[in-house]
Amino acid sequence: MTGGAPCTDRLFVLPSPEELARAAAGRIWGIVRERIAALARAGKEAPRIRVALSGGETPRHALEILSQEPYRVSFPWEAVHFYQVDERWVPPGEPLSNRRMLREALLSRAPVPSTNFHPVDTSLPGPEEGARRYEELLRSEFPAPAGGYPRFDAILLGIGKDGHTASLFPGAPDTASPGSWVTAVTGGEPRLPRVTLTLPVLCAAARVIFLASGREKAEALRGVLSGERRLPASRVVPARGTVTFLADAQAAALAMRKGRGSR
Ligand code: 6PG
């Protein structure tokens, strides 16, 4: 995995998981609105905003909130395309499927055009093929990107107790071939084959938002904010973008205690 320049990250602490979810929905909305305005100023008539969403449980409520008022009517659903940060190699109806969570929380509730969701296809013969096809899809969406990697307008990430993010796990060998955008890995709890965006893709995003909720994330968040290099989440350092950490009070407890409110 590659390293990076000093972080331009910021930690925002919300009192409760509910307020964290509200803040996350508001942040996504803010990024999209800002981007739409910038594209309008540049004379783009049919803007296309690209947002990659993580799985796990933390984003669920934020996405549910995004599908409700006031966002339901004001969010530019036609313009926003959603992608997966990572997927567990299970059928899409399984409880462990990230696609299922995204469907339950957002896609089945909000008026997202079906053509605006771009899932990892886990019906393919295996995760390597799934990764290859997902990369192909992304390459058709982001032809010849500057810097060699796609620039998502926003990527929503979680943090595992062990400091993983996306499906990039601490201590896991970096098996991604140089320059690749998507790779197949095995890891996590439960340990499963997975398909994930690679670290350089996360680092190429315009805006990265990390969400952390609950006491069980406190040690990992402290380590990530301290820049502990062994933790994959701390290596997400956008070269031409920003990182924001949104955490509830329990997740931020150790980071705050050490006097690392923000930097
Ligand atoms: C996954 C994820 C993963 C997730 C973290 C946090 O497939 O597991 O996308 O990176 O963001 O594991 O998961 P929770 O939000 O469930 O704690």
Side-chain angles (χ1 to χ4, degrees):
M1 289 183 183
T2 55
C7 282
T8 54
D9 50 353
R10 291 173 298 154
L11 170 65
F12 293 91
V13 182
L14 288 308
S16 67
E18 175 66 25
E19 283 164 274
L20 171 66
R22 293 198 174 281
R27 177 85 182 131
I28 296 169
W29 162 227
I31 291 169
V32 166
R33 198 175 42 181
E34 192 181 279
R35 186 72 185 130
I36 292 263
L39 291 172
R41 282 196 300 275
K44 288 260 188 291
E45 281 182 5
R48 193 168 170 112
I49 314 291
R50 298 179 178 92
V51 176
L53 300 172
S54 283
E57 278 304 305
T58 313
R60 184 186 286 273
H61 194 40
L63 298 177
E64 288 169 355
I65 289 171
L66 202 59
S67 71
Q68 297 160 10
E69 303 303 351
Y71 304 112
R72 193 183 170 81
V73 290
S74 50
F75 197 87
W77 298 107
E78 295 287 334
V80 181
H81 285 248
F82 295 100
Y83 301 81
Q84 289 193 266
V85 166
D86 65 340
E87 183 56 287
R88 296 107 180 242
W89 199 257
V90 295
E94 291 282 317
L96 282 171
S97 163
N98 285 338
R99 180 174 174 177
R100 173 172 164 161
M101 186 281 288
L102 297 176
R103 189 179 64 244
E104 289 174 352
L106 182 70
L107 306 168
S108 65
R109 295 169 182 246
V112 179
S114 59
T115 48
N116 287 22
F117 176 56
H118 306 273
V120 173
D121 182 357
T122 58
S123 71
L124 290 165
E128 286 76 17
E129 178 66 2
R132 196 183 65 74
R133 295 279 281 273
Y134 205 54
E135 179 158 335
E136 252 174 40
L137 181 146
L138 294 184
R139 286 188 186 271
S140 69
E141 290 280 313
F142 297 85
Y149 292 101
R151 183 165 164 82
F152 282 97
D153 295 291
I155 299 189
L156 186 64
L157 294 174
I159 300 179
K161 284 184 288 192
D162 58 356
H164 80 258
T165 194
S167 287
L168 306 173
F169 297 97
D174 187 1
T175 51
S177 39
S180 65
W181 295 8
V182 183
T183 190
V185 299
T186 297
E189 284 177 32
R191 189 173 165 81
L192 284 171
R194 294 160 182 255
V195 168
T196 184
L197 299 183
T198 58
L199 182 64
V201 172
L202 304 184
C203 292
R207 301 275 184 267
V208 173
I209 313 160
F210 277 101
L211 297 188
S213 177
R215 190 171 302 280
E216 61 172 19
K217 302 293 176 70
E219 183 55 40
L221 184 62
R222 186 205 57 74
V224 171
L225 288 169
S226 313
E228 285 180 22
R229 300 277 308 153
R230 69 189 170 84
L231 305 177
S234 68
R235 296 186 211 134
V236 181
V237 181
R240 294 182 300 128
T242 61
V243 180
T244 304
F245 291 86
L246 300 182
D248 63 20
Q250 290 207 331
L254 295 178
M256 298 299 282
R257 195 183 302 160
K258 305 258 175 184
R260 298 181 203 278
S262 59
R263 60 178 180 141

